[in-house]
Amino acid sequence: MQRRNFFQTALMGSGAILGGISGLKANPLKFTQTASSNLKIKKIRYYAAPGYTKPLFNQARGIVEIETDGGIIGIGEGGTKDMVEQCSQMLIGADPFRIEHLWQYLYRGMFYPPGREKLHGLGAIEMALWDIKGKALNVPVYELMGGATREYIDCYATGFKNSTGATEYDRAKDCIAAGFRTYRTGPTGGSGETPFDFYDNVKQTIEHCKKLDAAVGGSGNWAIDLHTRFDTQDGLKICKAIENLEPYFIEDIIRSENPAVYKTIRSLTTVPIAVGEQFGDRWDINEMIESRLIDYSRTTLPNSGGLSELKKIASMCETHYVGMIPHFTGPLSTASLAHVLGSSSPVRCLMELAGGEVERPAYFNDDYILFNKGKIYLNPAPGLGVKFNPKKADLLFEITSNTKFPHPYLKSPDGAIHNW
Amino acid sequence: MHRKNFLQSALLGSGVFLGSMSGLKAMPDGSLQHASSNLKITKIRYYAAPGYNKPLINQSRGIVEIQTDGGIIGIGEGGTVDMIKQCAQMIIGADPFRIEHIWQYLYRGMFYPPGREKLHGLGAIEMALWDIKGKALGVPVYDLLGGATRDYIDCYKGGPDDMDKSTEEKTGRSVMEAGYRVYRIGPTGGSNVEKPFEPGQNVKATIAKCKVVSNAVGKGNWAIDLHTRFDLTDAMTICNEIEHLGPYFVEDPVRSENLAVYKTVRQMTKVPLAVGEQFGDRWDSNELIENHLIDYTRFTLPNTGGISEFKKLASMCETHYVGMIPHGTGPLSVAALVHVLGSSSPARCMYEGSGISKVDYFNGDLLDFRKGKLYLNPSPGLGVNFDSTKATFLIEINENTKYPHPYLKSPDGSIHNW
């Protein structure tokens, strides 16, 4: 059956299809809700990603499987066992189409706003809900987020493995020749055993930037992540020295806890600034965007709490002419980022590929990301477009019933989630 | 066929449906674009709304019909003939699923950013694109906007026609008994253009009116639209005198062109402020929201430029704990607002009941309105059927302009500024 025919017949059948919607019904969460799909969340399973042992929560890549009574299974990535378990035990029986509503329920339920760790798990679950909805409606997720705004997302490489170049400068040239928009380097002095000397590394990093700029020909073909490695004055020394070069961006000039310090930095240098890799929710970054303290947001998935949240951040970025260069996390999150950036309108969007290559974990299908010559193309397969083989991952737990704990939350008279 | 079964069987067939997608294809404007639906926009028609003759462009309610080669027709509301024509002549042959992309193309194309009038037409067209997508996918538009976040939208009302309006007390009580969340009044001195408006006298009369209404319906059950009718200090006198009477909101205490004046207003009164009825695009209100200079936005559809734009504004409102009380425009726009507010998360959302009028060119049940509340409509698309034989046909566009309008693309295919 041709897709085109499908849409044509869908119209004809739609009256009949919708005839089955009941409007309002009681659900196991004990709040009335407007029926969207007649699907219900039945089971939520969580798997460890084999071979991945990094203990970084904000890079976690456990796989969430949400199973519905219709047989459709959605997948998400991120979180930890405890975090995913708490969220899962609030969702059994819920309508998976009500993504924003469920997000609010999980975010405001339990009273205390999630920190970055729970938000990571919440983001993994929300990712799976988008996957379910896309599969159920037989469209890619980007279609549920406004439709494609670009053919592909340019990528930059953090290191470039596919090169035999003797020096980093040679490898950077190969990286640009291979089609990447930008080659990204780091500051000097990064090995743990050698004590970090500010003055020495400021000089060396500046020297390194000059050589790299000359090698790749400026033009935004390189960028540097200062990795929060310097203090304000040292960071600014580097920025001032490389202002006359052409880096695409300078990332994390200083630590990220105090965004207000960027008011000072902004008044002292004109380099393009990228910040947000370490951020969690929307309120970590909104003032930096709104006050135009940065040029690129590095907020990512699932760290922001999910696709909807990143989409909201995209609205703010577009409003304030701020670009989006999300930090890389796990492979499924990378696939999800393509759906969000590919349906959003900030002018400059870039995606990061560590080592300059797409990861190919055995538990996902080989073509889960459409990568060609330094660009990630939009994946038109339904949902997130990724197939998960649970036999190649390690099952951690399965949730089939909700918590008995009467967690605190309130509703508005109109049925919306309210603060406790 | 039950919807549940449809969704279940859709999964099984999905590989087949998507197999035919070509990925990239050439478009009429010479650009490559990512195939989303294999549908194409073939014709765009524009109709006048019979019986509606208000000359207010920001309240206009002409009906746009966008036809696709798949037979699906989407409808939108707003704009004028000139505005719709310019937009329509840029999107024949385009893939109607690429809503945001098309919006950017129309907004940035032609170089000069649309003013409020063109934006109104653009919003009508964008509304029709959402209708097409919802119909094609067999889901209500709110399901394409994140899914339902609430069961209904509370409404407020000025004074229903079929109620006892002999006194303010009776009108207010009637409105509350009918299930509305709030009874809204206006300032005195607005009914007779022949009678000069006397600020000092109307300040006193308006304060007196607020006292009567608050006593009748109770604190939090009434609101007032000052309608930009007063100067700053007169408005502040009213606000400070009625603060203890508990208005749900006080709308437009001053004119709307100079947003920075709200920094002053905010320091002078604690009443909840509602602003934005007169606004157009996102940049009219973002600083008011971000600096929390207001408590409720009043911008609406299609005036913001469409549903996506409204949704972006909802993100900002939620971020800054600002509520949304859109101004009433045409009946189809009200239906569209229910989809947007019903899938968004600002804590306080309310709709102005004045737009809930039935017109014979739309189906009688286009809005599920019961006891002062607008319930979400689960029919596909916007859930509204348009009978074009009952409207007045104005234009049909079936080819793009030959004018080489200025716009650029980024290497990745996205729309760029000229």
Side-chain angles (χ1 to χ4, degrees):
Chain A
M1 188 183 188
Q2 293 281 315
R3 183 171 169 79
R4 183 168 176 174
N5 291 338
F6 166 69
F7 286 118
Q8 289 170 1
T9 56
L11 175 71
M12 300 172 67
S14 60
I17 294 163
L18 270 289
I21 285 195
S22 59
L24 294 173
K25 58 177 182 171
N27 86 344
L29 299 180
K30 293 177 183 152
F31 54 90
T32 50
Q33 73 179 46
T34 298
S36 283
S37 68
N38 279 356
L39 292 177
K40 276 184 189 165
I41 294 173
K42 208 169 133 192
K43 296 175 181 172
I44 300 180
R45 288 179 289 273
Y46 193 50
Y47 300 83
Y52 187 79
T53 53
K54 283 189 189 169
L56 300 167
F57 284 135
N58 69 330
Q59 300 272 73
R61 49 174 72 179
I63 301 108
V64 176
E65 262 192 338
I66 301 185
E67 187 177 328
T68 62
D69 58 353
I72 294 173
I73 293 176
I75 54 172
E77 182 184 73
T80 67
K81 199 168 169 288
D82 291 347
M83 303 302 136
V84 171
E85 188 179 18
Q86 184 175 84
C87 294
S88 299
Q89 287 180 339
M90 293 170 72
L91 289 178
I92 304 302
D95 177 350
F97 267 32
R98 297 190 68 180
I99 300 175
E100 171 79 9
H101 191 65
L102 295 178
W103 192 90
Q104 297 287 339
Y105 179 63
L106 293 174
Y107 189 88
R108 302 203 212 180
M110 303 284 176
F111 182 58
Y112 292 95
R116 289 178 186 170
E117 292 73 24
K118 184 169 168 184
L119 200 64
H120 210 271
L122 209 174
I125 281 177
E126 197 251 17
M127 193 185 289
L129 295 176
W130 283 103
D131 192 37
I132 289 171
K133 197 160 186 171
K135 285 172 174 168
L137 298 176
N138 196 34
V139 291
V141 167
Y142 64 76
E143 282 297 354
L144 301 173
M145 311 200 104
T149 55
R150 57 190 88 227
E151 325 283 357
Y152 59 80
I153 297 106
D154 269 317
C155 295
Y156 76 87
T158 302
F160 190 60
K161 291 179 182 170
N162 187 25
S163 167
T164 53
T167 68
E168 186 175 358
Y169 311 109
D170 294 333
R171 295 194 291 276
K173 276 195 276 189
D174 287 348
C175 173
I176 298 302
F180 282 87
R181 178 63 190 85
T182 291
Y183 173 84
R184 203 211 75 184
T185 190
T188 61
S191 64
E193 294 303 312
T194 312
F196 185 80
D197 180 275
F198 277 110
Y199 294 88
D200 188 38
N201 280 301
V202 165
K203 277 178 245 162
Q204 281 192 49
T205 296
I206 292 168
E207 204 52 38
H208 176 54
C209 290
K210 285 178 179 169
K211 284 183 189 165
L212 186 56
D213 186 77
V216 298
S219 303
N221 291 340
W222 68 282
I224 185 165
D225 181 0
L226 293 182
H227 229 259
T228 74
R229 200 169 284 168
F230 298 92
D231 282 346
T232 306
Q233 285 304 325
D234 292 315
L236 282 168
K237 263 191 236 170
I238 296 171
C239 290
K240 295 300 286 182
I242 64 177
E243 265 175 11
N244 61 333
L245 306 177
E246 291 183 324
Y248 201 103
F249 63 81
I250 313 294
E251 182 179 353
D252 283 345
I253 297 163
I254 47 167
R255 288 189 60 86
S256 66
E257 298 91 340
N258 180 3
V261 79
Y262 277 94
K263 289 179 188 166
T264 305
I265 289 183
R266 197 62 158 175
S267 65
L268 291 169
T269 180
T270 57
V271 294
I273 297 172
V275 176
E277 170 179 336
Q278 299 176 324
F279 288 167
D281 73 21
R282 212 178 335 140
W283 293 274
D284 280 338
I285 198 162
N286 73 299
E287 290 190 5
M288 302 197 80
I289 297 169
E290 290 157 6
S291 301
R292 205 39 171 99
L293 298 179
I294 57 173
D295 299 286
Y296 300 103
S297 154
R298 293 277 289 147
T299 47
T300 192
L301 292 176
N303 308 41
S304 62
L307 279 70
S308 301
E309 287 299 294
L310 195 65
K311 193 77 185 170
K312 291 172 187 176
I313 293 171
S315 297
M316 298 182 213
C317 285
E318 184 201 348
T319 302
H320 291 280
Y321 320 126
V322 169
M324 297 187 88
I325 309 183
H327 179 62
F328 81 95
T329 51
L332 181 57
S333 301
T334 303
S336 301
L337 283 171
H339 288 276
V340 177
L341 296 183
S343 63
S344 298
S345 297
V347 175
R348 294 205 193 192
C349 292
L350 282 186
M351 282 174 66
E352 177 176 9
L353 288 180
E357 58 188 22
V358 175
E359 287 186 71
R360 306 284 179 194
Y363 51 88
F364 290 143
N365 52 313
D366 273 351
D367 56 349
Y368 78 107
I369 285 180
L370 306 181
F371 175 79
N372 189 34
K373 293 184 180 166
K375 297 162 179 62
I376 290 176
Y377 287 80
L378 274 63
N379 184 344
L384 296 169
V386 180
K387 296 187 182 87
F388 171 55
N389 182 353
K391 287 177 198 158
K392 294 189 176 162
D394 305 319
L395 178 70
L396 295 173
F397 63 78
E398 178 178 270
I399 303 290
T400 56
S401 60
N402 285 323
T403 176
K404 304 287 180 243
F405 174 69
H407 60 272
Y409 87 103
L410 291 176
K411 281 186 305 174
S412 297
D414 63 4
I417 306 298
H418 196 80
N419 304 310
W420 188 54
Chain B
M1 186 181 190
H2 258 260
R3 181 172 168 77
K4 185 167 178 176
N5 292 336
F6 165 67
L7 293 171
Q8 288 170 2
S9 60
L11 175 72
L12 293 161
S14 60
V16 180
F17 297 147
L18 270 289
S20 65
M21 291 197 62
S22 58
L24 294 173
K25 59 179 178 169
M27 291 307 296
D29 67 350
S31 69
L32 283 172
Q33 88 175 40
H34 198 273
S36 283
S37 67
N38 279 357
L39 292 177
K40 276 184 189 166
I41 295 172
T42 52
K43 293 174 184 172
I44 300 178
R45 288 179 289 274
Y46 192 51
Y47 300 83
Y52 186 80
N53 49 21
K54 283 189 192 169
L56 300 167
I57 293 175
N58 69 333
Q59 299 273 74
S60 72
R61 46 174 78 176
I63 302 106
V64 177
E65 262 192 339
I66 301 186
Q67 188 173 326
T68 62
D69 58 352
I72 294 173
I73 293 175
I75 54 172
E77 182 184 72
T80 68
V81 173
D82 290 347
M83 303 299 132
I84 295 291
K85 190 177 178 187
Q86 185 175 83
C87 294
Q89 286 180 336
M90 292 171 72
I91 60 175
I92 302 301
D95 176 350
F97 267 32
R98 299 191 66 180
I99 300 174
E100 170 81 8
H101 190 66
I102 289 173
W103 192 90
Q104 296 288 339
Y105 180 63
L106 292 174
Y107 189 87
R108 302 203 214 179
M110 302 284 174
F111 182 58
Y112 292 94
R116 289 178 186 168
E117 293 73 23
K118 184 169 167 183
L119 201 64
H120 210 271
L122 209 174
I125 282 177
E126 198 251 17
M127 194 185 290
L129 296 176
W130 282 104
D131 192 38
I132 289 171
K133 198 161 186 170
K135 285 173 174 168
L137 298 176
V139 293
V141 167
Y142 64 75
D143 254 327
L144 299 173
L145 298 171
T149 55
R150 60 191 83 227
D151 300 324
Y152 60 80
I153 317 298
D154 269 318
C155 295
Y156 74 83
K157 190 80 175 171
D161 300 332
D162 54 350
M163 294 178 182
D164 184 346
K165 290 192 283 189
S166 56
T167 66
E168 284 292 345
E169 290 99 322
K170 283 180 182 170
T171 313
R173 287 191 194 112
S174 299
V175 166
M176 295 310 292
E177 279 161 17
Y180 289 92
R181 177 62 191 84
V182 165
Y183 170 50
R184 200 207 69 182
I185 59 171
T188 60
S191 57
N192 187 351
V193 289
E194 297 300 319
K195 192 178 173 186
F197 182 78
E198 203 285 306
Q201 184 192 2
N202 279 301
V203 164
K204 282 181 216 137
T206 296
I207 292 166
K209 184 178 175 183
C210 291
K211 284 178 182 167
V212 169
V213 169
S214 179
N215 280 335
V217 299
K219 287 184 180 182
N221 292 338
W222 68 284
I224 184 166
D225 181 1
L226 292 181
H227 229 260
T228 74
R229 199 168 286 168
F230 297 92
D231 282 347
L232 179 64
T233 50
D234 288 328
M236 291 304 98
T237 301
I238 297 172
C239 287
N240 288 320
E241 288 292 325
I242 66 175
E243 191 182 301
H244 71 285
L245 302 173
Y248 195 105
F249 64 79
V250 177
E251 182 180 354
D252 284 344
V254 288
R255 286 189 63 85
S256 65
E257 299 91 341
N258 180 0
L259 305 178
V261 79
Y262 277 95
K263 290 179 188 168
T264 305
V265 169
R266 199 60 158 174
Q267 288 168 358
M268 295 176 77
T269 178
K270 293 203 293 284
V271 296
L273 297 169
V275 177
E277 171 179 337
Q278 299 174 324
F279 289 169
D281 73 22
R282 212 179 333 141
W283 293 274
D284 280 339
S285 48
N286 73 302
E287 291 191 6
L288 286 176
I289 298 167
E290 290 159 5
N291 294 308
H292 210 301
L293 297 177
I294 58 174
D295 300 285
Y296 302 102
T297 64
R298 294 280 290 148
F299 51 72
T300 192
L301 288 177
N303 308 43
T304 56
I307 290 172
S308 300
E309 287 299 295
F310 199 98
K311 194 76 184 171
K312 291 172 188 177
L313 285 157
S315 298
M316 297 184 211
C317 286
E318 184 202 347
T319 300
H320 291 280
Y321 320 127
V322 169
M324 300 185 93
I325 308 181
H327 176 64
T329 50
L332 182 56
S333 299
V334 179
L337 282 169
V338 175
H339 287 276
V340 180
L341 295 181
S343 62
S344 297
S345 297
R348 292 205 194 191
C349 289
M350 191 159 62
Y351 177 69
E352 174 171 6
S354 63
I356 305 171
S357 54
K358 285 182 181 169
V359 292
D360 63 3
Y361 51 90
F362 290 140
N363 48 315
D365 57 350
L366 84 162
L367 296 168
D368 183 3
F369 179 77
R370 283 174 274 147
K371 293 185 179 170
K373 297 166 179 60
L374 278 166
Y375 288 81
L376 275 62
N377 182 345
S379 302
L382 295 169
V384 180
N385 302 322
F386 172 53
D387 181 352
S388 56
T389 62
K390 291 186 177 158
T392 314
F393 174 74
L394 295 171
I395 53 166
E396 178 178 279
I397 303 293
N398 52 30
E399 60 181 0
N400 286 322
T401 176
K402 304 287 180 241
Y403 173 70
H405 59 271
Y407 88 104
L408 291 176
K409 282 188 305 175
S410 297
D412 65 3
S414 60
I415 306 298
H416 196 81
N417 304 311
W418 189 54

